[in-house]
């Protein structure tokens, strides 16, 4: 596959390359990353031709936006596409001496509050353009509005009401003013995309973890709905936060937690099929989502130049159609998952 071939982002009018750069690792997700390594990683991506960069205030609690912005602000703005997210406002912690970074191995020491109101969206947008050093953002996403992050269906409904009665108007005003080009939502949880589409005229979704070599339940309801409405799809978390990059090794992560024995066994069986066809597991994981015609782009993360180089090489690798047919025959991918003829 050509990493830089462009695909339309649904009906938005925006086109994205098939390969983008996900910056969560630069926020030090599970692993510390030095400033030198962060800059070298971004430099390797740019030198290789990467022109789509995704970030968020949540990644390292502001750190990823600062790092991406410091690198990109001096690049020709008309050559790059930048996305970030709203929904969290970063604030100084009340007790700095007791600050817990959570699953960020480092990052900045800021607490956050969720805010999907009109003022909250505008505040988040202004904060992001300051951290990024940019005067506009191309794609702006509603971030993490799900039970996983908010704790209960009731709290999700309250936040959704906040968005519907205020935040959405702010997003529309930003788009109408030319300050953003498309409105999306970052989704990790099944069932949320149809809920968004009931309320809002979405341009696209950034779907993390839920359409990968490891799981494809979104083929039952979510993805057919996006096809029907021509809503764009960007795929994040293509490695399910680690397992389909490292393979089933001790300590492998799956969806931000230690992989279970069943998850490890499935990855082991998929890896065995890949090995029989002389294809690295990571190459199959990168290319699989792009076999779906509605998917625009994959945005794997990286925290070293070598990872960027390897990801691009694996996306370019030829994968025989027999590999996908064998995975389907063995029940390791769904029978309705698109594969080459």
């Amino acid at each position: 596959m050509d990493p830089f071939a462009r695909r339309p982002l649904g009906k938005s009018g925006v086109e994205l390359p098939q390969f983008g750069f996900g910056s969560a690792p630069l926020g030090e997700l599970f692993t510390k990353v030095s400033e030198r390594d962060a800059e070298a990683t971004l430099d390797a991506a740019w030198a290789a031709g990467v022109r789509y960069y995704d970030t968020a205030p949540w990644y390292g609690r502001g750190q990823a936006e600062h790092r991406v912005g410091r690198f990109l602000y001096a690049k020709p703005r008309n050559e790059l596409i930048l996305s970030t997210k709203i929904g969290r406002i970063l604030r100084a912690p009340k007790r700095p001496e007791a600050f817990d970074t959570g699953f960020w191995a480092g990052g900045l020491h800021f607490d956050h509050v969720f805010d999907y109101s009109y003022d909250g969206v505008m505040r988040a947008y202004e904060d992001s353009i300051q951290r990024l050093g940019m005067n506009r953002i191309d794609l702006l996403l509603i971030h993490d509005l799900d039970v996983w992050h908010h704790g209960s269906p009731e709290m999700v409904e309250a936040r959704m009401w906040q968005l519907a009665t205020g935040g959405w108007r702010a997003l529309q005003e930003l788009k109408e003013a030319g300050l953003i080009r498309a409105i999306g939502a970052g989704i990790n949880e099944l069932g949320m995309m149809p809920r968004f589409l009931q309320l809002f005229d979405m341009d696209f979704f950034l779907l993390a973890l839920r359409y990968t070599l490891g799981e494809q339940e979104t083929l039952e309801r979510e993805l057919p709905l996006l096809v029907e409405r021509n809503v764009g799809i960007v795929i994040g978390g293509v490695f399910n936060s680690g397992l389909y990059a490292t393979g089933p090794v001790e300590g492998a992560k799956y969806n931000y937690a230690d992989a279970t024995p069943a998850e490890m066994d499935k990855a082991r069986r998929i890896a065995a099929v890949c090995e029989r066809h002389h294809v690295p597991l990571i190459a199959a994981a990168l290319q699989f989502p792009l076999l779906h015609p509605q998917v625009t782009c994959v945005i794997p993360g990286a925290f070293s130049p070598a990872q960027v180089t390897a990801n691009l090489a694996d996306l370019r690798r030829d994968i025989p159609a027999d590999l996908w047919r064998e995975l389907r025959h063995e029940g390791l991918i769904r029978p309705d998952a698109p594969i080459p003829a």
Side-chain angles (χ1 to χ4, degrees):
M1 289 186 176
D2 178 359
F4 307 127
R6 300 228 163 191
R7 294 187 178 189
L9 186 62
K11 63 182 184 297
S12 70
V14 177
E15 290 189 340
L16 294 179
Q18 294 186 127
F19 181 94
F21 184 95
S23 68
L26 299 189
E28 301 184 303
L29 180 63
F30 302 126
T31 304
K32 291 282 286 182
V33 181
S34 70
E35 290 295 329
R36 178 178 294 180
D37 286 345
E39 184 174 359
T41 302
L42 288 162
D43 189 61
W46 184 270
V50 177
R51 294 297 183 268
Y52 171 39
Y53 296 81
D54 175 73
T55 189
W58 179 231
Y59 301 160
R61 302 173 187 264
Q63 178 165 273
E65 282 191 322
H66 277 292
R67 285 175 161 176
V68 168
R70 278 199 302 270
F71 180 80
L72 290 180
Y73 88 94
K75 303 300 183 186
R77 186 62 182 84
N78 62 349
E79 289 187 19
L80 65 95
I81 298 171
L82 178 66
S83 59
T84 193
K85 306 177 181 74
I86 59 88
R88 289 180 175 88
I89 305 295
L90 302 184
R91 292 179 174 174
K94 292 181 179 178
R95 297 181 58 207
E97 71 282 358
F99 188 80
D100 180 6
T101 61
F103 54 61
W104 304 107
L108 305 181
H109 288 195
F110 285 98
D111 279 333
H112 74 275
V113 293
F114 287 106
D115 192 338
Y116 299 92
S117 68
Y118 179 92
D119 289 343
V121 169
M122 290 302 196
R123 165 72 183 273
Y125 176 83
E126 292 292 337
D127 286 353
S128 284
I129 63 174
Q130 292 298 322
R131 283 189 291 265
L132 289 162
M134 300 282 183
N135 58 16
R136 72 181 189 279
I137 292 162
D138 298 290
L139 314 176
L140 193 59
L141 295 107
I142 303 151
H143 203 195
D144 289 342
L145 214 171
D146 55 36
V147 172
W148 191 356
H149 291 91
H150 295 270
S152 71
E154 293 77 15
M155 185 57 72
V156 170
E157 286 303 307
R159 299 298 190 192
M160 193 68 83
W161 176 253
Q162 192 179 45
L163 179 66
T165 58
W168 184 255
R169 179 164 56 90
L171 290 166
Q172 288 180 308
E173 288 180 8
L174 290 169
K175 186 177 178 181
E176 289 166 3
L179 297 173
I180 61 175
R181 298 172 62 192
I183 302 170
I187 299 294
N188 299 290
E189 200 169 88
L190 290 172
M192 285 308 300
M193 288 191 289
R195 179 76 176 115
F196 268 92
L197 290 172
Q198 285 175 350
L199 296 172
F200 310 114
D201 184 18
M202 304 298 302
D203 292 315
F204 74 104
F205 289 95
L206 197 171
L207 177 61
L209 313 174
R210 301 301 179 186
Y211 189 66
T212 67
L213 197 56
E215 57 182 277
Q216 302 105 42
E217 287 84 350
T218 47
L219 283 168
E220 292 181 13
R221 182 184 179 199
E222 279 90 344
L223 296 190
L225 186 58
L226 302 193
V227 171
E228 177 187 330
R229 300 194 182 188
N230 194 20
V231 174
I233 314 170
V234 173
I235 299 294
V238 292
F239 306 131
N240 289 100
S241 68
L243 179 58
Y244 285 88
T246 64
V249 299
E250 184 177 354
K253 299 291 184 183
Y254 187 86
N255 295 0
Y256 304 114
D258 290 335
T260 66
E263 290 159 352
M264 293 280 274
D265 181 63
K266 182 177 181 179
R268 190 174 293 112
R269 293 171 64 201
I270 291 174
V273 173
C274 291
E275 187 173 350
R276 283 197 290 275
H277 292 274
H278 309 291
V279 172
L281 174 64
I282 193 169
L286 274 168
Q287 293 193 32
F288 171 77
L290 289 165
L291 299 177
H292 195 295
Q294 194 68 16
V295 170
T296 303
C297 176
V298 294
I299 51 169
F303 56 80
S304 74
Q307 289 175 338
V308 174
T309 301
N311 285 340
L312 286 166
D314 284 324
L315 195 61
R316 290 185 170 107
R317 187 181 296 269
D318 290 330
I319 296 182
D322 283 348
L323 181 149
W324 305 115
R325 286 195 283 268
E326 185 173 346
L327 289 175
R328 178 184 280 180
H329 178 75
E330 295 296 321
L332 295 170
I333 60 174
R334 286 175 58 103
D336 51 350
I339 61 173

